[in-house]
Amino acid sequence: MGFVVKEFDIKDEKVLDFLVKKLGFNVREAKRAIDRGRVSVDGKKITQKSARASGKLKCIVFEPNGYGLKPIFETTHFAIFDKPSGVAIHPKKLANTKSLLDDVRSLWGNDANLVHRLDRETSGLVMASKNKFAESVLKRAFQDKDIKKSYLALVKGKLEKPLTIKKPIAVNKDENIKVKVLIHPEGKESITIVKPIKVYDNYTLVECDLLTGRQHQIRVHLYSIGHPIIGDPLYGVDNDFADRYLNKLVSLEERIEKTGAERLMLHSYKLEFEFMNNKYVIKSHSFEEALKKVIQS
């Protein structure tokens, strides 16, 4: 369900205390709701945590109601999901949409969280923390590159030798397609190691290891060397097609004809890390069916 609006009548009461009493927030959650502009009385946003008010109070809250996904691996402190392509990580702004975060919160409460991101169309392994301690430790591990992420991608053409792509990535300032990133000399350092696994007639299955973690890094790097990912509706296509795709104007049939697949053929297949003196190597094999479908078509 994502974000919903709750309405209450409040009468000469401190708003912070009201949120704790009526919505079951702890004090920190109530303060955060006010700071983020999610609380109003009679249409006027509450900005002061000490404010008292009377009238119709509205508060935007997150109510989990997700896809029903379950983790493929879990411990006391964290869990790992094998996310299907098409499943969003977080709810879209304040829209009433499903996301993996809904499932995480449904299972372990509001202190649970996702500790890294994966594009909606990318399938595979996503890690969630069950408590604030694990969230802090694991987010730091991702930031410090102590967690190794490996991906599988089916790309156009034949790629027969390993290579390291070192090309800086910058934010796209195009008003129409800002979501796309660019290879640009003024961009941030970005490094992807690419190793071919299997070469087919018209495709190559590659493994990609990230030494940096930029938005769409694998997608734009592979496109930049002439091997766009099969099924990619943003990189390896013209801007008109990408714009129509982002505006939901591309049919499934047109996408398959233009890109070679109904989904992005990119999969987060392995996580290697250490947590509380234990070493973990988690793999996903769910990409195999998608590969067969494209290669045999």
Side-chain angles (χ1 to χ4, degrees):
M1 183 177 292
F3 291 100
V4 297
V5 178
K6 296 284 189 178
E7 295 187 14
F8 304 92
D9 291 316
I10 183 172
K11 185 175 181 180
D12 190 26
E13 189 171 349
K14 189 176 179 180
V15 173
L16 190 68
D17 294 340
F18 187 87
L19 295 175
V20 171
K21 179 176 67 177
K22 284 291 186 179
L23 289 172
F25 286 168
N26 58 40
V27 174
R28 178 176 57 83
E29 290 169 337
K31 289 180 177 179
R32 185 167 57 198
I34 293 172
D35 287 340
R36 294 182 176 179
R38 295 177 181 174
V39 184
S40 64
V41 174
D42 293 337
K44 184 178 179 181
K45 285 186 179 181
I46 300 297
T47 58
Q48 300 296 321
K49 299 182 183 67
S50 60
R52 300 181 70 88
S54 297
K56 182 69 70 175
L57 181 144
K58 293 184 179 181
C59 183
I60 300 170
V61 299
F62 181 86
E63 285 195 347
N65 179 24
Y67 298 90
L69 297 175
K70 303 295 182 183
I72 62 167
F73 179 85
E74 65 178 301
T75 69
T76 303
H77 292 287
F78 69 86
I80 294 177
F81 290 81
D82 195 350
K83 184 186 83 68
S85 176
V87 169
I89 290 288
H90 294 100
K92 187 178 181 181
K93 295 183 180 178
L94 298 182
N96 209 15
T97 55
K98 290 184 178 182
S99 70
L100 181 58
L101 183 60
D102 289 279
D103 288 322
V104 170
R105 296 275 170 85
S106 292
L107 290 167
W108 302 297
N110 288 337
D111 279 347
N113 205 0
L114 294 163
V115 295
H116 65 120
R117 292 177 177 270
L118 205 61
D119 290 345
R120 184 190 189 106
E121 287 219 1
T122 304
S123 57
L125 301 178
V126 183
M127 187 184 297
S129 57
K130 293 185 178 182
N131 52 63
K132 292 300 180 183
F133 162 74
E135 179 181 0
S136 176
V137 173
L138 291 169
K139 280 189 173 181
R140 173 61 63 182
F142 273 104
Q143 291 170 2
D144 293 344
K145 307 297 185 296
D146 292 332
I147 297 179
K148 181 182 178 183
K149 297 181 290 183
S150 297
Y151 292 77
L152 295 176
L154 186 67
V155 302
K156 183 178 180 180
K158 295 184 178 183
L159 183 61
E160 298 177 328
K161 295 181 180 180
L163 73 156
T164 299
I165 304 173
K166 296 181 179 180
K167 296 185 179 183
I169 295 175
V171 174
N172 191 345
K173 296 181 180 180
D174 187 317
E175 287 296 325
N176 296 318
I177 315 179
K178 282 186 175 180
V179 69
K180 290 180 69 172
V181 296
L182 301 170
I183 302 296
H184 194 280
E186 295 181 4
K188 294 181 178 179
E189 179 187 36
S190 306
I191 305 172
T192 306
I193 299 172
V194 182
K195 293 171 281 188
I197 295 175
K198 188 171 182 179
V199 179
Y200 302 92
D201 288 340
N202 302 308
Y203 313 115
T204 304
L205 178 64
V206 299
E207 177 182 332
C208 299
D209 293 331
L210 298 177
L211 299 189
T212 53
R214 312 301 176 202
Q215 179 184 349
H216 293 180
Q217 178 175 319
I218 295 174
R219 297 167 69 174
V220 72
H221 269 179
L222 288 171
Y223 165 62
S224 75
I225 62 169
H227 294 282
I229 299 175
I230 300 300
D232 197 330
L234 297 180
Y235 302 95
V237 298
D238 57 74
N239 281 348
D240 176 68
F241 180 88
D243 183 56
R244 289 193 300 110
Y245 164 78
L246 291 171
N247 286 289
K248 303 185 186 304
L249 299 175
V250 173
S251 68
L252 183 62
E253 292 76 15
E254 184 183 3
R255 176 175 179 171
I256 293 172
E257 181 181 357
K258 187 79 171 180
T259 70
E262 64 184 19
R263 54 153 290 186
L264 179 69
M265 294 300 290
L266 179 63
H267 183 73
S268 170
Y269 98 100
K270 184 168 63 174
L271 292 173
E272 298 180 64
F273 58 99
E274 186 174 314
F275 182 81
M276 296 182 68
N277 297 319
N278 291 313
K279 292 184 178 180
Y280 298 91
V281 179
I282 312 297
K283 294 183 180 181
S284 162
H285 300 286
S286 61
F287 194 48
E288 294 173 4
E289 286 302 314
L291 281 174
K292 290 178 183 178
K293 186 174 181 179
V294 173
I295 293 168
Q296 294 174 0
S297 63

